[in-house]
Amino acid sequence: MKRKGIWRSFPAALAASFLMLSASISAAQGNPLPIPPLLTNQSSDPAVARFELTVQKGETEFFPGKPNITLGYNGNLLGPTLRAKRGQRVEITVHNSLREYTTVHWHGMLLPGSEDGGPHQVVAPDSDWKARFTVDQPAATLWYHPHGIGNTATQVYFGLAGFFILDDEASEKLDIPREYGVDDIPLVVQDRRFSSAGVLLYNTTMRDIMYGMQGKTLLVNGAVNPYLMVPRAKVRLRLLNGSNAGFYDFSFEGNKKFHQIASDGGLLIRPVEMNHLSLSPGERGEIVMDFSGYGPGTVLYLRNGRLPALKIIVGKGKKESPPLPEVLAVVPPLPYTGTETVRRFTLSGLGRMVGINGRQMNLRRINEQVRLNSTEIWEITSRTGMMGMMGGGGNMLHNFHAHGIQFQVLARNGSMPPENERGWKDTVQVREGEVVQVITRFQYPGDFMYHCHVLEHEDNGMMGQFRVE
Ligand code: C2O
Ligand code: CU
Ligand code: CU
């Protein structure tokens, strides 16, 4: 036995070094960007979209030969893309095969509180939950993720997130890139921390608990060092900041110009030319980059700050690429009479003491009572407070997200918001000391959450509930 063991160890070592060599070659070239598959609609009735999701444990090698236990929907990591059209009835069955409870929240969807997948709709281990709602909102890039009290951050961190794309008739008539996975690419960007042995690490420092979990490795659609071949044409990138706590600032090498065409809740009125786009956790931005002027084989990086996020390789041939439409969508401003109820929300605290208006999340407390079909103004501000200053604080970054609504930003620090914030939003950045006013209509009844989308803040109590009735 022993001899056999020694005899066998030699070729094994050789094989291992060969593996290491090929691993470093492929690491230098990067990994092909995975495109989340479109989940098959099980319904033959065009008026209905029926989906099945299983929340499961899996295994992912972010680095070759370094398996990690991860979580996914219908797979090892992340989830398939759900897609439905305005007017369609959606029925989703969620099965939880984990040993802990979870929920599945449809972030950005307008629906009754009972279908929202927030902390109230617990899916216990080995059980099912069914969500049913009718899509009645503009075409948009939404997403889904867990929302349990106290376990949202870890479940997202280890892999639970997916896209939910909505279409509508108006957007289908627009001449914009729309071929999924070809010139219309979903990109969920998430920073993660790995040990030198390739082990995915969570909350290893005091800072992680204070400010939220951040890491130095960027994953795009779950891949490290990803590359993507694009047609020589206009390409639409549906960017989702799916991180726990990282605020991102996207740009292309050389600060090349691109257009933002959509914000969280739908298309903007017109394309907005820009050279960088900042997205906080949970926010989405659809951008269109024109690659038609680049020679085949040109390499261009999409970056977060100075860090490469995605290597883009311009392909051969040329695709017909008409100019972007001047007008993308109608975003009717919500009528503002001055008689609306104004509610104020102050995000403050540090670490495990974060809260809103001085209170921490309590599932038994409804913080705000809202009248069904009313229009309100919500004013959100962020203040670190004494504790943060005494701790040497640094800049606490927060944002604000509310369920079951899409809002319009009325003002940021007293002035008109920038052009790319003038469409539908469900998550808005509220940096230290800022005051952001949003206006919204409450069209669906039920209990909903509002919170900071830094997931460690949310899990530690920076969340509240509003009841619409
Ligand atoms: Cu994206 Cu309350 O969540
Ligand atoms: Cu949400
Ligand atoms: Cu926060």
Side-chain angles (χ1 to χ4, degrees):
M1 284 297 281
K2 203 174 174 191
R3 191 169 153 256
K4 195 177 169 194
I6 293 163
W7 184 80
R8 287 180 69 138
S9 70
F10 184 60
L14 257 186
S17 71
F18 175 75
L19 272 174
M20 271 168 64
L21 182 69
S22 59
S24 65
I25 289 171
S26 71
Q29 293 173 332
N31 301 301
L33 179 82
I35 304 290
L38 286 167
L39 186 58
T40 311
N41 173 2
Q42 312 270 11
S43 160
S44 50
D45 177 354
V48 177
R50 190 173 300 123
F51 298 113
E52 274 166 39
L53 286 178
T54 297
V55 191
Q56 59 194 71
K57 203 178 228 181
E59 205 179 80
T60 303
E61 290 188 14
F62 297 99
F63 301 95
K66 311 276 168 71
N68 270 285
I69 290 177
T70 51
L71 303 175
Y73 297 103
N74 301 358
N76 291 309
L77 185 75
L78 299 171
T81 298
L82 276 61
R83 197 156 189 167
K85 198 174 163 180
R86 188 169 195 160
Q88 252 180 342
R89 177 97 186 127
V90 177
E91 301 176 3
I92 309 161
T93 306
V94 174
H95 177 73
N96 180 12
S97 76
L98 304 179
R99 281 207 221 118
E100 58 180 309
Y101 84 90
T102 190
T103 86
V104 185
H105 165 58
W106 324 108
H107 179 130
M109 202 74 76
L110 307 185
L111 36 54
S114 58
E115 315 305 307
D116 179 58
H120 299 275
Q121 287 88 42
V122 167
V123 197
D126 258 320
S127 61
D128 290 353
W129 174 65
K130 280 188 174 58
R132 293 165 203 273
F133 53 90
T134 299
V135 177
D136 189 16
Q137 67 190 92
T141 304
L142 312 184
W143 65 303
Y144 61 96
H145 63 78
H147 219 299
I149 293 279
N151 67 5
T152 296
T154 47
Q155 290 189 352
V156 172
Y157 192 83
F158 285 93
L160 293 181
F163 282 94
F164 202 137
I165 295 178
L166 298 183
D167 300 297
D168 66 9
E169 249 150 51
S171 75
E172 280 172 352
K173 289 197 190 99
L174 286 176
D175 218 344
I176 52 177
R178 62 174 73 262
E179 210 178 322
Y180 185 83
V182 177
D183 62 6
D184 181 353
I185 316 285
L187 297 174
V188 50
V189 184
Q190 301 170 301
D191 57 278
R192 294 291 183 260
R193 184 179 305 157
F194 290 95
S195 74
S196 51
V199 177
L200 186 56
L201 300 175
Y202 184 70
N203 266 10
T204 51
T205 71
M206 196 58 194
R207 198 178 195 287
D208 304 335
I209 294 155
M210 292 298 188
Y211 294 88
M213 182 63 205
Q214 297 183 46
K216 291 211 170 70
T217 305
L218 278 186
L219 302 180
V220 185
N221 296 350
V224 292
N225 295 321
Y227 68 84
L228 170 71
M229 276 275 222
V230 296
R232 275 179 83 200
K234 290 197 178 59
V235 173
R236 173 186 193 172
L237 305 174
R238 298 178 189 252
L239 286 163
L240 157 63
N241 180 339
S243 75
N244 279 42
F247 280 57
Y248 299 150
D249 189 50
F250 292 108
S251 64
F252 291 94
E253 257 177 308
N255 288 322
K256 296 189 170 62
K257 297 248 165 69
F258 58 86
H259 287 89
Q260 185 174 351
I261 60 165
S263 54
D264 303 330
L267 291 161
L268 296 167
I269 298 167
R270 56 184 71 84
V272 178
E273 192 183 63
M274 52 213 297
N275 59 18
H276 73 109
L277 168 64
S278 102
L279 292 179
S280 65
E283 280 187 296
R284 287 87 66 213
E286 293 182 27
I287 64 172
V288 171
M289 180 67 182
D290 191 354
F291 295 104
S292 60
Y294 296 95
T298 306
V299 169
L300 246 130
Y301 280 90
L302 172 72
R303 308 172 305 185
N304 165 36
R306 309 180 136 262
L307 287 179
L310 175 67
K311 179 180 181 178
I312 297 175
I313 307 163
V314 180
K316 294 197 186 79
K318 204 160 183 171
K319 211 178 154 192
E320 217 35 68
S321 214
L324 284 173
E326 262 170 55
V327 175
L328 296 165
V330 183
V331 183
L334 284 177
Y336 168 62
T337 64
T339 59
E340 289 81 9
T341 301
V342 179
R343 288 177 209 266
R344 297 196 165 79
F345 300 89
T346 303
L347 316 173
S348 67
L350 197 66
R352 299 216 153 109
M353 295 304 293
V354 287
I356 300 179
N357 293 341
R359 303 188 115 163
Q360 291 195 286
M361 172 65 199
N362 178 345
L363 207 48
R364 287 180 302 273
R365 177 172 56 225
I366 299 295
N367 302 73
E368 311 290 336
Q369 286 277 354
V370 176
R371 263 208 357 264
L372 185 63
N373 289 319
S374 65
T375 300
E376 295 197 358
I377 292 167
W378 285 15
E379 187 179 290
I380 310 118
T381 176
S382 143
R383 220 177 288 133
T384 303
M386 279 312 284
M387 267 182 66
M389 321 254 258
M390 280 170 5
N395 228 345
M396 284 296 273
L397 296 175
H398 301 294
N399 66 9
F400 186 86
H401 165 58
H403 291 201
I405 55 169
Q406 288 287 339
F407 49 73
Q408 294 173 358
V409 182
L410 281 179
R412 182 176 280 285
N413 303 319
S415 3
M416 276 275 273
E419 242 189 297
N420 68 326
E421 265 190 346
R422 296 186 200 161
W424 293 110
K425 297 279 298 161
D426 56 51
T427 308
V428 70
Q429 303 184 30
V430 189
R431 296 188 185 233
E432 181 72 23
E434 281 195 309
V435 182
V436 179
Q437 285 165 321
V438 305
I439 186 166
T440 190
R441 265 197 55 179
F442 297 86
Q443 296 166 277
Y444 290 88
D447 292 348
F448 298 95
M449 319 304 291
Y450 57 85
H451 57 91
C452 172
H453 219 288
V454 170
L455 299 180
E456 285 74 18
H457 293 172
E458 173 189 329
D459 272 351
N460 284 315
M462 194 172 258
M463 178 155 70
Q465 303 187 71
F466 63 103
R467 172 168 292 167
V468 183
E469 60 186 357

